[in-house]
Amino acid sequence: AQKVTQAQTEISVVEKEDVTLDCVYETRDTTYYLFWYKQPPSGELVFLIRRNSFDEQNEISGRYSWNFQKSTSSFNFTITASQVVDSAVYFCALSGKNYGQNFVFGPGTRLSVLP
Amino acid sequence: GAVVSQHPSWVICKSGTSVKIECRSLDFQATTMFWYRQFPKQSLMLMATSNEGSKATYEQGVEKDKFLINHASLTLSTLTVTSAHPEDSSFYICSARGQTEQYFGPGTRLTVT
């Protein structure tokens, strides 16, 4: 069975602080995909990143960076110099070897960035 | 990029009535669509998988007679909540599978009074 755990339910930081959101996953598949989505109060999911299981390179996109470590089944997300607009719920998700499979979402981490 | 729309974006209905939610892939064909439900302050949970031209596959605990899914074309899947009750109030999100990607709709907020 597939499972995604996000241990941090809520995080509060002050603007300009760095913050890391943790994600740990479980799967028996050797090929799988990991995702991060942002869900602002409007509810619409905003795609942030997709990573397949064979690509362990870390990725940086502006203030966002991701650290994928298969050895610990983790796919952590760091926001550098956080801003108030980063306040949202962030979901880590897993999809199986067939990319057309459904997503398994983690419970989400609610990030509040205070001015 | 590919777009998935949902209609309506929000709906309020009375207990006992039925509500239909549409999910459309606007610029690609989707042989498979997924329906998720998200209760307040919770995560998204898969309700069912909808394949064009065949019966939907429901997750354990989801009543197929209450949540009717129809995927009559490659661009449209509908979810009908029959005899809605207040406990069905939730945020319903669909996703559509394209050739190489999956895309999420903006969601439909259902409130049953």
Side-chain angles (χ1 to χ4, degrees), chain A residues 37-47 87-91 105 110, chain B residues 6 9 36-39 41-44 90-94 104-109:
Chain A
Y37 284 86
K38 174 182 180 180
Q39 188 178 46
S42 66
E44 184 164 0
L45 292 174
V46 177
F47 170 82
S87 298
V89 179
Y90 290 85
F91 289 100
F105 286 86
R110 182 175 300 275
Chain B
Q6 283 185 240
S9 54
Y36 296 83
R37 180 168 54 183
Q38 184 182 27
F39 291 110
K41 297 194 175 183
Q42 294 189 24
S43 187
L44 287 78
S90 187
F91 192 54
Y92 293 86
I93 302 176
C94 72
F104 284 90
T108 296
R109 195 167 302 279

Coordinates of all heavy atoms in Angstrom, one line a residue, chain A residues 37-47 87-91 105 110, chain B residues 6 9 36-39 41-44 90-94 104-109:
Chain A
Y37 N 2.1 20.1 -3.9 CA 1.0 21.0 -4.4 C 0.8 22.0 -3.2 O 0.9 21.7 -2.1 CB -0.3 20.3 -4.6 CG -0.3 19.5 -5.9 CD1 0.1 18.2 -6.0 CD2 -0.9 20.1 -7.1 CE1 0.1 17.5 -7.2 CE2 -0.9 19.5 -8.3 CZ -0.5 18.2 -8.3 OH -0.5 17.5 -9.5
K38 N 0.5 23.2 -3.7 CA 0.1 24.3 -2.8 C -1.4 24.5 -2.9 O -2.0 24.5 -4.0 CB 0.8 25.6 -3.1 CG 0.4 26.8 -2.3 CD 1.2 28.0 -2.9 CE 0.9 29.3 -2.1 NZ 1.6 30.5 -2.6
Q39 N -2.1 24.6 -1.7 CA -3.5 24.9 -1.8 C -3.8 26.1 -1.0 O -3.8 26.1 0.2 CB -4.3 23.7 -1.2 CG -5.8 23.9 -1.4 CD -6.6 22.7 -0.8 OE1 -6.4 22.2 0.3 NE2 -7.6 22.2 -1.6
P40 N -4.0 27.2 -1.7 CA -4.3 28.5 -1.0 C -5.8 28.4 -0.5 O -6.5 27.5 -0.8 CB -4.1 29.5 -2.1 CG -4.3 28.8 -3.4 CD -3.9 27.4 -3.1
P41 N -6.2 29.5 0.2 CA -7.6 29.4 0.7 C -8.7 29.2 -0.4 O -9.8 28.7 -0.1 CB -7.7 30.8 1.3 CG -6.4 31.1 1.8 CD -5.5 30.6 0.7
S42 N -8.4 29.6 -1.6 CA -9.4 29.4 -2.7 C -9.7 27.9 -2.9 O -10.7 27.5 -3.4 CB -8.9 30.0 -4.0 OG -7.8 29.3 -4.5
G43 N -8.8 27.1 -2.5 CA -9.0 25.6 -2.7 C -8.3 25.0 -3.9 O -8.1 23.8 -3.9
E44 N -8.0 25.8 -4.9 CA -7.5 25.2 -6.1 C -6.0 24.8 -5.9 O -5.2 25.5 -5.3 CB -7.5 26.2 -7.2 CG -7.0 25.7 -8.6 CD -7.5 26.6 -9.7 OE1 -8.1 27.6 -9.5 OE2 -7.1 26.2 -10.9
L45 N -5.7 23.6 -6.3 CA -4.4 23.0 -6.1 C -3.4 23.7 -7.1 O -3.7 23.7 -8.3 CB -4.4 21.5 -6.3 CG -5.1 20.7 -5.3 CD1 -5.2 19.2 -5.7 CD2 -4.4 20.8 -3.9
V46 N -2.3 24.1 -6.6 CA -1.3 24.7 -7.5 C -0.1 23.7 -7.5 O 0.5 23.4 -6.5 CB -0.8 26.1 -6.9 CG1 0.3 26.6 -7.8 CG2 -2.0 27.0 -6.8
F47 N 0.2 23.3 -8.7 CA 1.3 22.3 -8.9 C 2.6 23.0 -8.7 O 2.9 24.1 -9.2 CB 1.2 21.8 -10.4 CG 2.4 21.0 -10.8 CD1 2.5 19.6 -10.4 CD2 3.4 21.5 -11.5 CE1 3.6 18.9 -10.8 CE2 4.5 20.8 -12.0 CZ 4.6 19.5 -11.6
S87 N 1.8 31.6 2.5 CA 0.8 31.0 3.5 C -0.2 30.2 2.7 O -0.9 30.7 1.8 CB 0.1 32.1 4.3 OG 1.1 32.8 5.1
A88 N -0.3 28.9 3.1 CA -1.2 28.0 2.4 C -1.1 26.6 3.0 O -0.3 26.5 4.0 CB -0.9 27.9 0.9
V89 N -1.8 25.7 2.5 CA -1.6 24.3 2.9 C -0.8 23.6 1.8 O -1.1 23.8 0.6 CB -3.0 23.6 3.1 CG1 -2.7 22.1 3.5 CG2 -3.8 24.3 4.2
Y90 N 0.2 22.9 2.2 CA 1.0 22.2 1.2 C 0.9 20.7 1.3 O 0.9 20.2 2.4 CB 2.5 22.6 1.4 CG 2.8 24.1 1.1 CD1 2.6 25.1 2.0 CD2 3.2 24.4 -0.2 CE1 2.8 26.4 1.7 CE2 3.5 25.7 -0.5 CZ 3.2 26.7 0.4 OH 3.5 28.0 0.0
F91 N 0.6 20.1 0.2 CA 0.4 18.7 0.2 C 1.6 18.0 -0.6 O 1.9 18.4 -1.7 CB -0.9 18.3 -0.5 CG -2.1 18.7 0.3 CD1 -2.8 19.8 0.0 CD2 -2.5 17.8 1.3 CE1 -3.9 20.2 0.7 CE2 -3.6 18.2 2.0 CZ -4.3 19.3 1.7
F105 N -2.4 11.4 -1.3 CA -2.0 12.6 -0.7 C -1.6 12.5 0.8 O -2.2 11.7 1.5 CB -3.1 13.7 -0.8 CG -3.3 14.3 -2.1 CD1 -4.1 13.6 -3.0 CD2 -2.7 15.4 -2.5 CE1 -4.3 14.1 -4.3 CE2 -2.8 16.0 -3.8 CZ -3.7 15.3 -4.7
R110 N -0.1 23.0 7.1 CA -0.6 24.4 7.0 C 0.5 25.4 7.4 O 1.0 25.3 8.5 CB -1.8 24.6 7.9 CG -2.4 26.0 7.8 CD -3.7 26.1 8.6 NE -4.7 25.2 8.2 CZ -5.5 25.4 7.2 NH1 -5.5 26.6 6.5 NH2 -6.4 24.5 6.8
Chain B
Q6 N -14.3 22.7 -13.7 CA -15.4 22.1 -12.9 C -16.5 23.1 -12.8 O -16.3 24.3 -12.7 CB -14.9 21.7 -11.5 CG -14.1 20.5 -11.4 CD -13.7 20.0 -10.0 OE1 -12.6 20.0 -9.6 NE2 -14.8 19.8 -9.2
S9 N -18.6 26.0 -9.4 CA -17.5 26.1 -8.5 C -18.0 26.0 -7.1 O -17.2 25.6 -6.2 CB -16.8 27.5 -8.8 OG -17.8 28.5 -8.7
Y36 N -12.0 13.2 -6.1 CA -11.5 13.3 -4.8 C -12.5 14.1 -3.9 O -13.2 15.0 -4.4 CB -10.1 14.0 -4.7 CG -9.0 13.3 -5.4 CD1 -8.8 13.4 -6.8 CD2 -8.1 12.4 -4.7 CE1 -7.8 12.7 -7.5 CE2 -7.1 11.8 -5.4 CZ -7.0 11.9 -6.7 OH -5.9 11.3 -7.4
R37 N -12.4 13.9 -2.6 CA -13.3 14.6 -1.7 C -12.3 15.2 -0.6 O -11.4 14.4 -0.1 CB -14.4 13.7 -1.1 CG -15.3 14.4 -0.1 CD -16.5 13.5 0.2 NE -16.1 12.2 0.6 CZ -17.0 11.2 0.9 NH1 -18.3 11.5 0.7 NH2 -16.6 10.1 1.3
Q38 N -12.6 16.4 -0.2 CA -11.7 17.0 0.8 C -12.6 17.7 1.9 O -13.3 18.7 1.6 CB -10.8 18.0 0.2 CG -9.8 18.6 1.3 CD -8.9 19.7 0.7 OE1 -9.2 20.3 -0.3 NE2 -7.7 19.8 1.3
F39 N -12.7 17.1 3.1 CA -13.4 17.7 4.1 C -12.6 18.8 4.7 O -11.3 18.8 4.6 CB -13.8 16.7 5.2 CG -14.8 15.7 4.7 CD1 -14.5 14.4 4.5 CD2 -16.1 16.1 4.5 CE1 -15.4 13.5 4.0 CE2 -17.1 15.2 4.0 CZ -16.7 13.9 3.8
K41 N -10.2 21.1 6.5 CA -8.9 20.9 7.2 C -8.4 19.5 7.1 O -7.7 19.0 8.0 CB -9.0 21.4 8.7 CG -9.3 22.9 8.8 CD -9.1 23.4 10.2 CE -9.3 24.9 10.3 NZ -9.0 25.4 11.6
Q42 N -8.8 18.8 6.1 CA -8.3 17.5 5.9 C -7.7 17.3 4.5 O -7.7 18.3 3.7 CB -9.5 16.4 6.0 CG -10.0 16.4 7.4 CD -11.0 15.2 7.6 OE1 -10.9 14.2 6.9 NE2 -11.9 15.3 8.6
S43 N -7.2 16.2 4.2 CA -6.5 16.0 3.0 C -7.5 15.5 1.9 O -8.7 15.3 2.2 CB -5.4 14.9 3.1 OG -4.6 14.8 2.0
L44 N -7.0 15.4 0.7 CA -7.8 14.9 -0.4 C -7.9 13.3 -0.3 O -6.8 12.7 -0.2 CB -7.3 15.3 -1.8 CG -7.4 16.7 -2.2 CD1 -6.4 17.6 -1.5 CD2 -7.3 16.9 -3.7
S90 N -18.8 19.2 1.4 CA -17.3 19.0 1.2 C -16.8 19.7 0.0 O -17.6 20.4 -0.7 CB -17.1 17.5 1.0 OG -15.7 17.2 1.0
F91 N -15.5 19.6 -0.3 CA -14.9 20.2 -1.5 C -14.6 19.0 -2.4 O -13.9 18.1 -2.0 CB -13.6 20.9 -1.0 CG -13.0 21.8 -2.1 CD1 -13.8 22.8 -2.7 CD2 -11.7 21.7 -2.5 CE1 -13.2 23.6 -3.7 CE2 -11.1 22.5 -3.4 CZ -11.9 23.4 -4.1
Y92 N -15.1 19.0 -3.6 CA -15.0 17.9 -4.5 C -14.0 18.3 -5.6 O -14.3 19.4 -6.3 CB -16.3 17.4 -5.1 CG -17.2 16.8 -4.0 CD1 -18.0 17.6 -3.2 CD2 -17.2 15.4 -3.8 CE1 -18.8 17.0 -2.2 CE2 -18.0 14.8 -2.8 CZ -18.8 15.6 -2.0 OH -19.6 15.1 -1.1
I93 N -13.0 17.6 -5.8 CA -12.0 17.9 -6.8 C -11.8 16.8 -7.8 O -11.7 15.6 -7.4 CB -10.6 18.2 -6.2 CG1 -10.7 19.3 -5.2 CG2 -9.6 18.6 -7.2 CD1 -9.4 19.6 -4.4
C94 N -11.8 17.1 -9.1 CA -11.5 16.0 -10.1 C -10.1 16.2 -10.7 O -9.6 17.3 -10.6 CB -12.6 16.1 -11.2 SG -12.4 17.5 -12.3
F104 N -5.5 18.8 -12.3 CA -6.6 18.9 -11.3 C -7.5 20.1 -11.7 O -7.1 21.1 -12.2 CB -6.0 19.2 -9.9 CG -5.5 17.9 -9.3 CD1 -4.1 17.6 -9.4 CD2 -6.3 17.1 -8.5 CE1 -3.6 16.5 -8.8 CE2 -5.7 15.9 -7.9 CZ -4.4 15.6 -8.1
G105 N -8.8 19.8 -11.4 CA -9.8 20.9 -11.6 C -9.7 21.8 -10.4 O -9.0 21.5 -9.4
P106 N -10.4 22.9 -10.5 CA -10.4 23.9 -9.4 C -11.2 23.6 -8.2 O -11.1 24.2 -7.2 CB -10.9 25.2 -10.1 CG -11.8 24.7 -11.2 CD -11.2 23.4 -11.6
G107 N -12.0 22.5 -8.3 CA -12.8 22.1 -7.2 C -14.2 22.7 -7.2 O -14.5 23.7 -7.8
T108 N -15.1 22.0 -6.5 CA -16.5 22.4 -6.3 C -16.8 22.3 -4.8 O -16.7 21.2 -4.3 CB -17.5 21.5 -7.1 OG1 -17.2 21.7 -8.5 CG2 -18.9 21.9 -6.8
R109 N -17.2 23.4 -4.3 CA -17.6 23.4 -2.9 C -19.1 23.2 -2.7 O -19.9 24.0 -3.2 CB -17.2 24.7 -2.2 CG -17.2 24.7 -0.7 CD -16.4 25.9 -0.1 NE -15.1 26.0 -0.5 CZ -14.0 25.3 -0.1 NH1 -14.2 24.5 0.9 NH2 -12.8 25.6 -0.5

